[in-house]
C-alpha cells in the first residue's frame, strides 16, 4: 500500500490502470453484501473455519478502503471513485455495526475529503452521510 509521504505520481499511476478504482469500489460492495447475510462460526470460539473467512473478508475490506483513501490524493482518482458509486458504500460502512476501526477511519477520511468539494454535497446528503463530514458553505461576508 502507498504511504501518505510518497508523491501523488504513484497514486495517479495506480488510478490510471483500467478498472483499478472500479475493482476497489466493487470490493467494498461485495463485502457489504456478505456482511448482510450474517457471520458464520460461533461467537467467542476461535479456530473455526467461519471465523477465518470473516477475518479474511474484513482484511480485504480494510485494504480496499485504505487504498481508496490513498488514491484520493489525486483529483482524477476522486472523480473516478465518485463515478463508481463509492459514496453510498462508504456511508454504509461508516454506519455498519460490524465495521472495524480501520474501515470506519478510512471511510470517514474519504467522505470528509469528498465533503470539502461542494459538487459532492448532494450525493453525500442523499447517501445519509453525517453532516459533520460535509463542509458548510462559507457565510456571506458582512460589509
Amino acid at each position: 500500500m502507498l504511504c501518505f509521504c510518497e508523491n501523488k505520481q504513484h497514486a495517479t499511476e495506480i488510478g490510471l490502470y483500467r478498472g483499478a478504482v472500479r475493482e476497489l469500489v466493487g470490493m467494498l460492495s461485495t463485502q457489504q453484501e456478505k456482511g448482510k447475510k450474517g457471520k458464520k462460526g460461533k461467537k467467542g470460539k476461535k479456530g473455526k473455519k467461519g471465523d477465518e473467512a470473516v477475518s479474511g473478508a474484513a482484511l480485504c475490506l480494510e485494504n480496499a478502503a485504505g487504498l481508496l483513501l490513498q488514491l484520493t490524493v489525486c483529483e482524477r482518482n476522486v472523480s473516478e471513485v465518485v463515478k463508481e458509486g463509492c459514496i453510498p458504500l462508504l456511508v454504509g460502512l461508516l454506519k455498519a455495526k460490524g465495521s472495524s476501526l480501520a474501515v470506519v477511519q478510512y471511510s470517514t477520511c474519504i467522505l470528509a475529503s469528498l465533503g470539502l468539494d461542494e459538487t459532492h454535497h448532494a450525493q453525500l446528503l442523499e447517501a445519509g452521510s453525517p453532516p459533520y463530514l460535509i463542509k458548510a458553505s462559507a457565510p456571506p461576508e458582512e460589509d
Side-chain angles (χ1 to χ4, degrees):
M1 202 181 303
L2 292 174
C3 293
F4 286 113
C5 62
E6 292 181 339
N7 84 37
K8 282 185 170 183
Q9 185 62 33
H10 294 168
T12 303
E13 290 172 12
I14 292 171
L16 289 175
Y17 286 109
R18 187 179 187 132
V21 172
R22 180 180 303 125
E23 287 299 320
L24 290 169
V25 173
M27 288 176 166
L28 299 181
S29 176
T30 301
Q31 296 308 319
Q32 282 191 25
E33 290 169 8
K34 286 181 182 176
K36 289 178 185 175
K37 292 178 184 174
K39 295 181 181 179
K40 293 184 179 181
K42 295 185 180 181
K43 215 174 191 180
K45 297 200 177 185
K46 295 184 180 181
K48 300 283 184 188
K49 283 186 179 181
D51 293 336
E52 292 170 15
V54 170
S55 64
L59 183 60
C60 177
L61 185 57
E62 286 179 16
N63 287 333
L67 186 53
L68 277 173
L69 171 61
Q70 294 195 29
L71 291 179
T72 59
V73 301
C74 173
E75 187 58 39
R76 182 193 176 283
N77 293 339
V78 171
S79 300
E80 189 71 19
V81 165
V82 172
K83 185 179 101 181
E84 291 299 331
C86 82
I87 291 176
L89 296 173
L90 292 169
V91 170
L93 289 170
L94 188 61
K95 294 180 174 185
K97 292 181 182 177
S99 292
S100 71
L101 178 59
V103 169
V104 170
Q105 289 173 332
Y106 296 146
S107 298
T108 300
C109 290
I110 296 168
L111 291 169
S113 175
L114 295 174
L116 294 174
D117 186 344
E118 289 184 18
T119 59
H120 306 302
H121 287 187
Q123 289 173 294
L124 288 163
L125 290 169
E126 185 179 317
S129 178
Y132 59 84
L133 296 177
I134 303 169
K135 179 184 175 191
S137 299
E141 292 183 22
E142 295 180 21
D143 290 326

